[in-house]
Amino acid sequence: MRRLLTTLMILLVVIVAGLSALVLLVNPNDFRAYMVHQVEQRSGYQLRLDGPLRWHVWPQLSILSGRMSLTAPGATQPIVSSENMRLDVALLPLLSHQLQVQQVMLKGAVVQLTPETEARKPENAPVGPSGSNPAPEPEQGWSFDIAKLKVADSVLVFQHDDDEQVTVRNINLQMEQDDNKQAHIEFNSRINRDQRDLSLSFVADLNARDYPQKLDATFSKLDYKFIGADLPKQGISGSGTLRISWLQPSHKLELSQIQLTANESDLQGSASVMPGDKPQWVVDVQSKKLNLDNLVAASAVTNTAVPQRGQQQNTLPRPIIATGVEDTTYRNLRGFSAQVKVAADAVRWRGLNFSDVRSDITNEYGLLKIAALTGQFGKGSMSLPGELDARKDEPRLHFQPQIDNIEIAPILTAFDYPIALTGQLSMQGQFTGDRLNSDAFRRSWQGKANVTMADSHLQGMNFQQMIQQAVERSNSSIKAKQEYDNVTVLERFSAAATLNNGELDLTNMLGNSAVLDLTGEGTMDLVKEDCDTRFNVTVKGGWDGDNKLITMLKNTPIPVRVYGPWQKLNYSLQVDDILRNQMQDEAKRRLREWADKHSSNPKANDLKKLLE
C-alpha cells in the first residue's frame, strides 16, 4: 500500500511538472495568428481576439481569451461577440506542434442574425471567369479541429429585413461533433416579447455530412411553454419530436415525422417551406384531438367587446400601443403562398364538439381559397367552402355554407344568442363580408339562404295556447284542452332568409305540426337583438268539443304578431275580430236562409237588399 501511494505521488508530480513545463514553454499567444488565419481561410469570417491569451490547467487544459468577435465579410457588425472565450485543447497534440481544440465555450455571448451582420461583397470586387476555381491554400504546419461547442447564458438577436427584432435570452447550448460530422445538440432558452414568455428546450442529432447541400436534424425531445398576454390563463405547453431537413439545391426546409402536443391537443404530419421574399408553404397534418378553446384566448377568436359563453376564460390582455392599429385587412396573406390540409378526428371550438373535420386551404399571395372545410356535429354535418380576397386594401369574403341536420341550440349558446330554440337546422346559402369574426357577421355581412328545421321547439311561447286562451276569454262556450307546455312545437319549418348589415329578413315562412299550421314573415335585428314577425296560425287540434265555431276555428288562420327584445318578447292576437266576423257571417247566412224560405214575403226582398 505504501509503495502504491508513493508511485501515485510520483506520477502526480510528473504530471504537474509536465503541465507546468508546458505552460512555461508553450505560449498560447503563438496560436492567435494561426486561429485567425484558419477561420478566415475556411469560412471567410474575421476572428478578433482582444487581450492576451493565457493557460488554464484545471480541471481541463484550456486557453482563455478576453473579448472576442466573429464578423462576416463586409458586415458592419459582428455576428458573434463575447466577453470571454475558453478553448479546451488536447494535451498530446501540443507535443507534436498541433492545436486540437476539443471544446469552445462562450459565456455571456451575443449572437446577432440581423441585416447588419450579413456577409456582403465589396462594391468593386473582381469577378473571376465562370467555371474557374480558386487556387487552394498551401498546407499549414498546424491543424485545427473542434469537437465540442458550449454556449452559456447568452443572447440571440434575430431580425429579418425590416421586421421587428426578436431576442432569445438565457441560451444554453451543448454540442458535440464526431469525425463524420454527426453532432449531438442540447439546447434551452427563453424568449420574452410583448408580455409573452416562451421557454424552449430540445435534444437533437444533427447530420452535417452532406453540408451545404443537405442538413438533417432529428429532434428526439422537444419541450416548450408559452405564457403571457392574449393567451389562455394556463398558457400553452407541450412536447414532441420531429425531423428537419434543409435541401440546398431546391432551397427548401422540410419538417417531417412531426409528433407534437399542445395542452390537450396533438398534431402529426409534415410541412415544408421555400423561404425567400415570399415564402411558399406546404402543410399536411392530422390530429386525434384538437381543442381550440384552450389554445386560443377568447378575444383572439371572437374579436368582440363581450366574451362569448363558449369562450369565457381568464386571460391577460395584450399591451395597448398608442400608435398601433389592428390589422383587419389580412395583408399578411399577400406575403406568402400556402397549401394546407388539416384532418382532425375531434375538434372543440366555443364549447362545441365536432368530429371528422377535414380542410383543404390554399393561399396565393392574398387570395385564400377554402376548397373544403367539412365536419360532423352530433348527427348532422356541415361544409363551409369559401374565399378570402385580401389582395386589395378592402378585403372581401365569400362563403357558401351547407348545413344538414345540425342541432341549433348549442350553436345559439356558443354565439351568445339568447333564443331558447332547439331543432335540427339545415341551410344552403351564400354570404359575403369584409371581416372574419362574429361581430362583423352581425353588423356588416350580406347574403341569402334557404333554411329548414325539423322537430323545432320554441321555449317560452306557445302559439296554440295563446290562441285558445284568447278564444276562451272571448267566447265562454268554447273550451280547449290544457295538456301542453309553454312551447311551440313544429315538426317542419322552412323560410327564405336575407341578411343585410345586421338585419335578417325572413319570408315565406311555413311550419306545421299535428296541432297547428303557420305562415308568416318578419325581421330580426342581430345587433339590437330584437324582432318583429307576423304569423298566420291555424290551430288544428287541442279543442274540446265539435261545434260549428270550433270547426271554423280549425280552418281559420289567426294573425299573431311577435315583437320586441329577444329576452322579453311581446305578442298580440286578433281573435276578437275573427270571432266577430264569424258571428256576422253566421248571422248573414241564417238571414239569407230565412229570406230564401219566405221569398213571397215583401220583407224578404228588403232583407236580401240589406244583406247585399
Side-chain angles (χ1 to χ4, degrees), residues 343-356:
D345 295 339
V347 175
R348 182 174 177 83
W349 178 63
R350 291 179 176 266
L352 306 173
N353 294 315
F354 299 88
S355 62
D356 195 23

Side-chain angles (χ1 to χ4, degrees), residues 461 530-533 561-566 568-572:
M461 183 168 294
D530 61 17
C531 68
D532 188 358
T533 54
R561 181 190 176 199
V562 179
Y563 60 96
W566 295 349
K568 191 178 180 181
L569 291 173
N570 303 304
Y571 71 93
S572 63

Side-chain angles (χ1 to χ4, degrees), residues 158-320:
F158 176 80
Q159 183 183 22
H160 179 68
D161 295 336
D162 296 330
D163 295 339
E164 184 180 354
Q165 285 189 353
V166 178
T167 303
V168 184
R169 304 182 185 277
N170 299 340
I171 294 178
N172 291 279
L173 170 67
Q174 180 76 47
M175 184 177 72
E176 299 182 7
Q177 177 183 233
D178 60 18
D179 295 336
N180 296 322
K181 295 185 179 180
Q182 305 287 326
H184 181 75
I185 304 173
E186 297 182 7
F187 174 89
N188 67 78
S189 67
R190 183 175 60 85
I191 305 174
N192 187 280
R193 183 185 181 193
D194 291 344
Q195 293 188 356
R196 297 175 178 175
D197 190 270
L198 172 63
S199 299
L200 176 67
S201 66
F202 64 79
V203 176
D205 292 299
L206 181 67
N207 182 1
R209 182 174 52 190
D210 300 324
Y211 181 80
Q213 298 301 315
K214 185 178 180 181
L215 192 64
D216 292 324
T218 301
F219 290 77
S220 58
K221 181 181 179 182
L222 174 65
D223 297 305
Y224 68 93
K225 186 171 184 180
F226 197 21
I227 60 175
D230 248 7
L231 292 171
K233 183 179 180 181
Q234 76 278 12
I236 301 175
S237 60
S239 60
T241 60
L242 73 155
R243 179 188 177 98
I244 299 179
S245 301
W246 169 253
L247 305 177
Q248 178 64 27
S250 58
H251 296 281
K252 179 185 293 186
L253 182 67
E254 294 183 347
L255 287 76
S256 59
Q257 303 176 19
I258 298 174
Q259 298 282 341
L260 293 177
T261 63
N263 293 349
E264 300 176 4
S265 303
D266 64 86
L267 199 66
Q268 305 87 36
S270 61
S272 66
V273 57
M274 297 180 66
D277 295 336
K278 291 187 175 183
Q280 301 176 20
W281 285 89
V282 177
V283 180
D284 188 354
V285 294
Q286 303 83 40
S287 174
K288 296 179 181 178
K289 182 179 181 181
L290 195 58
N291 189 341
L292 299 179
D293 285 352
N294 63 10
L295 291 179
V296 183
S299 59
V301 173
T302 63
N303 195 26
T304 59
V306 180
Q308 304 300 317
R309 295 178 184 176
Q311 283 287 313
Q312 289 177 353
Q313 52 180 298
N314 296 323
T315 58
L316 296 174
R318 295 188 66 183
I320 298 176

Side-chain angles (χ1 to χ4, degrees), residues 425-446:
L425 172 69
S426 296
M427 181 181 71
Q428 290 185 344
Q430 295 188 5
F431 294 92
T432 59
D434 57 355
R435 302 292 183 271
L436 190 59
N437 57 68
S438 59
D439 188 58
F441 183 81
R442 299 186 190 202
R443 297 177 181 274
S444 59
W445 279 59
Q446 303 87 35

Side-chain angles (χ1 to χ4, degrees), residues 31 34-35 63 89 94 97-101 142-145:
F31 305 136
Y34 167 73
M35 290 188 292
I63 298 176
V89 299
L94 289 175
H97 213 60
Q98 292 182 345
L99 177 65
Q100 182 177 353
V101 180
W142 297 86
S143 62
F144 189 76
D145 185 20

Side-chain angles (χ1 to χ4, degrees), residues 76-145:
T76 58
Q77 293 184 11
I79 189 172
V80 180
S81 60
S82 178
E83 292 298 327
N84 55 73
M85 177 176 66
R86 190 184 83 190
L87 304 177
D88 296 339
V89 299
L91 175 61
L92 294 179
L94 289 175
L95 302 178
S96 60
H97 213 60
Q98 292 182 345
L99 177 65
Q100 182 177 353
V101 180
Q102 295 179 326
Q103 176 173 271
V104 176
M105 178 177 178
L106 301 176
K107 185 176 178 62
V110 177
V111 182
Q112 300 185 83
L113 301 178
T114 63
E116 291 78 10
T117 64
E118 293 180 353
R120 291 182 175 84
K121 292 183 179 180
E123 295 182 358
N124 298 322
V127 180
S130 60
S132 63
N133 295 321
E137 293 287 337
E139 291 292 335
Q140 304 293 324
W142 297 86
S143 62
F144 189 76
D145 185 20

Side-chain angles (χ1 to χ4, degrees), residues 69 148 171 212 230 251 319 364 413 447 466 508 524-525 597:
S69 63
K148 298 180 181 179
I171 294 178
D230 248 7
H251 296 281
E364 290 294 333
T413 301
M466 291 187 302
N508 299 326
M524 303 179 69
D525 194 317
K597 290 181 180 180

